Amino acid sequence: MPMANGSTWRELRSQGFVLQTDLDEDDARELLAIAEGMRSYLLGAVYTAGVAAQPTAMVVFAHESDARTLLARRAAGAFMPRLPNDLYPSPVFVTYGTLDDDRRETLTHELVHRLNFAAYGGLPPFLEEGLAEYYSTLRVSDEGVTRGLAPRRTRFTTGEHFRNDRDDGVGVLEIPLRELPSVRELFTLTQGDLHEVLSEGGVAQAMRATALYATSWAFVHFLMHGPPAYREAFRMALKEATGARVGATLEDRIESLGFERTDAALRAYLTQPIENRREAVTPVPAPPPVVRVLSPVETKLFALRILPLRGQGSAETAGYLQSLEEAATTPAERARVAYFRGRAAEANGDDLGAAHFYGAARAESRGDALLLTAWLLHASGGRLTPPGEPRACPAPSPFSEPAAAEEATLALREAARTALEHDMAARSLTALGRDKQALAHARQAVRLDPGCWSCLFTLSCLYAAHGHTDEARRLANSAQDRLPEPPPAEGAAALARHLATVRPPRGRPGLAAPRRPDGAPSGGASAPGGTEPSPRSPQPSSPSPSLR
């Protein structure tokens, strides 16, 4: 069981990361310094600091066996939208061991995913993975930064067949150019096509999936370093569009250059030595991290975000909870233990037990947004949906305990700090019929995180309900641009239904161009690259019509 081996867990906080780990402190500091170097370069030369205002959470296990509780087979690390038992989405990078070349590349790859989403929204899969692969091979040192290096584990060949080779002790898959998908095919790839390499499929499927990843990297490298016409097409596509529309815009530009011509140019490009760029960058030393040793109770509470609450292993978790209940001494600790007991009861179908424990958690710590949210979700009988997972527009809805629900909602109004907490407050206030207060929190959610698709969806619904259709449509279009890949099925369907209700009436002209959350035409982001303008995420919403 993770964290049950008695090792010491620490929390290290730096400018860009919050690391929780059972590595030795020296190893943890070294890992954090490497991560900060990568992040500093990306934000200084590729993106802007505004797309990563919140620190990135990392969980690094000392032992691979513990990490396998969370990581897929063969994965050296991964970004997850949340740990298994988290109520609020909170992206976290999970890996194990020190940052060797593989894990450093995995961390950078996954960090680029996060920055891409903050800057652009949901990019087409080949472009999302291609950019992440391209920047994963960054090398940052005191002498400068090198980017555009080829992946160490794949290379292209004019041979007839896939072939495994070794280079300096590293396994390399040689991919025949004849096996590359066409550029037109790249635009039709799904996330499932690219992630097949981590599935249980056979060798042929794994090689095919690896070829898809490699081709995504190769096409992005070609767009970044290749002929000027393609570099310009890429730069303009990212400048003119956001989210999924980037793919359509880029596809139009490539089509104007000719798909067959592009295929030939890409294959010719890959027969030449791979170009990389060396940039002289003066490292900016990051302040030393703040290091804190987690207490035994804190370590166990952290473990409860991961351990199974039902099914295999849940009996051990129950024992964990029992020992925690005896060890917890402060109101905050007792409240968290009660919260996890409520989560476990709910997971096992015990509604009465869940109601009891959530009530106890709320009584112990009245100003905790997480505990208030858990109580409200349970008290709504499923009519309120978990944060970040809307399945319909918010609407007035009765609670089983109206007075207590109003008290908890007003407490959540005061406790809300993050975008999703404000979004949750807006939805709960709408359920109580407090539309104007709900609007204030929905606006604040979008101001705090203009890329939060569920926050944009909530605000759009509130405007639509009160007749502000144009504003609602702009926000809904922005929400659609920001759907994650793959999109949540119920959330995407709910958003599509909502969009259908705010379309322009027949005969009325639609929008001239996709809109950002602030009402301005989308755009302003430009292609990643060392010397070109940096992409920026949409700015917070400007004042919008008041509800009448």
Side-chain angles (χ1 to χ4, degrees), residues 90-111:
S90 180
V92 56
F93 177 70
V94 178
T95 188
Y96 58 90
T98 55
L99 280 188
D100 59 13
D101 285 344
D102 280 341
R103 293 180 187 85
R104 183 184 65 247
E105 290 175 8
T106 300
L107 171 60
T108 310
H109 177 110
E110 299 295 345
L111 181 59

Side-chain angles (χ1 to χ4, degrees), residues 13-17 32 36 39-40 52-56 284-289:
R13 288 182 174 268
S14 65
Q15 286 182 325
F17 298 91
L32 205 54
E36 279 290 352
R39 175 183 176 274
S40 176
Q54 298 298 319
T56 298
V284 179

